[in-house]
């Protein structure tokens, strides 16, 4: 029984695959995608082999559904690219921060660096920084002040040396 089932499936594949893949190719305009769709249709047919009365019809309906899914995916990708392009045009990337300031920020102790990064670089309000760090808002404000003072002092020294 299993041999005849496999033989029938192989014969059906040999008879219908080229036509099905060609039909899919005309719909998706891509050889690789067309072959993936045709192969997937046959895989799904094989999974239901004993329950399918009309294999050829099943294959074409399944392939049509897979083509439709492919078209939907392409449209979603096109919309995402358009949206990203518009957002990039409306909100151009910010100029990179002065590397020396970034390096100074990285040189701060963790207790001062984390609030600076969250508040100034991630644009989080003090309340949110407080929640994320588990510190009181007054402590976050004091840490931000201390970090700014360290940065100001270091930048002042750097400017004095540059003169």
């Amino acid at each position: 029984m299993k041999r005849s089932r496999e033989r029938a499936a192989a014969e059906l594949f040999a008879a219908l695959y080229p036509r099905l893949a060609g039909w899919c190719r005309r719909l998706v305009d891509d050889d690789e995608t067309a072959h993936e769709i045709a192969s997937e249709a046959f895989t799904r047919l094989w999974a239901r082999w004993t329950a399918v009365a009309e294999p050829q019809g099943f294959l074409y309906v399944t392939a049509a559904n897979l083509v439709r899914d492919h078209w939907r995916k392409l449209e979603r990708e096109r919309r995402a690219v358009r949206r990203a392009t518009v957002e990039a045009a409306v909100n151009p990337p910010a100029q990179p921060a002065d590397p020396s300031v970034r390096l100074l920020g990285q040189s701060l102790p963790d207790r001062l660096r984390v609030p600076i990064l969250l508040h100034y670089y991630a644009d989080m309000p003090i309340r949110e920084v407080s929640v994320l760090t588990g510190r009181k808002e007054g402590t976050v404000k004091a840490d931000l002040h201390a970090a700014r003072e360290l940065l100001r002092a270091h930048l002042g020294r750097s400017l004095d040396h540059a003169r």
Side-chain angles (χ1 to χ4, degrees):
M1 176 72 176
K2 187 174 180 180
R3 280 275 196 233
S4 63
R5 177 179 172 221
E6 288 176 4
R7 189 177 327 109
E11 289 171 1
L12 184 70
F13 183 85
L16 295 181
Y17 183 84
R19 234 173 91 204
L20 182 65
W23 179 72
C24 291
R25 169 66 174 89
R26 288 188 299 279
L27 294 173
V28 298
D29 200 32
D30 176 56
D31 284 335
E32 185 176 340
T33 303
H35 284 286
E36 287 175 10
I37 290 171
S39 296
E40 179 63 22
F42 270 96
T43 300
R44 291 181 184 189
L45 172 63
W46 181 250
R48 295 167 184 78
W49 184 254
T50 57
V52 175
E54 180 51 53
Q56 184 172 350
F58 179 90
L59 286 169
Y60 276 86
V61 168
T62 301
N65 289 336
L66 292 169
V67 166
R68 183 192 66 230
D69 292 345
H70 172 75
W71 288 340
R72 286 178 179 164
K73 179 183 172 207
L74 287 179
E75 184 53 34
R76 283 191 305 272
E77 289 171 354
R78 278 190 216 106
R79 280 195 307 265
V81 167
R82 278 195 303 268
R83 192 169 36 254
T85 303
V86 167
E87 287 175 9
V90 172
N91 302 318
Q95 292 296 333
D98 180 337
S100 60
V101 172
R102 188 179 71 235
L103 290 173
L104 282 173
Q106 291 173 349
S107 70
L108 290 171
D110 279 346
R111 78 174 181 80
L112 300 179
R113 181 181 343 115
V114 171
I116 286 283
L117 293 175
L118 293 174
H119 184 66
Y120 291 107
Y121 287 91
D123 291 324
M124 290 184 184
I126 290 173
R127 179 179 299 127
E128 196 170 340
V129 174
S130 169
V131 170
L132 288 174
T133 59
R135 300 180 192 156
K136 294 181 178 178
E137 287 185 37
T139 304
V140 170
K141 288 178 185 177
D143 288 345
L144 289 171
H145 176 74
R148 285 190 304 267
E149 289 302 312
L150 281 173
L151 293 172
R152 186 176 292 122
H154 188 65
L155 285 173
R157 284 192 305 271
S158 295
L159 291 175
D160 288 341
H161 292 301
R163 291 181 187 166

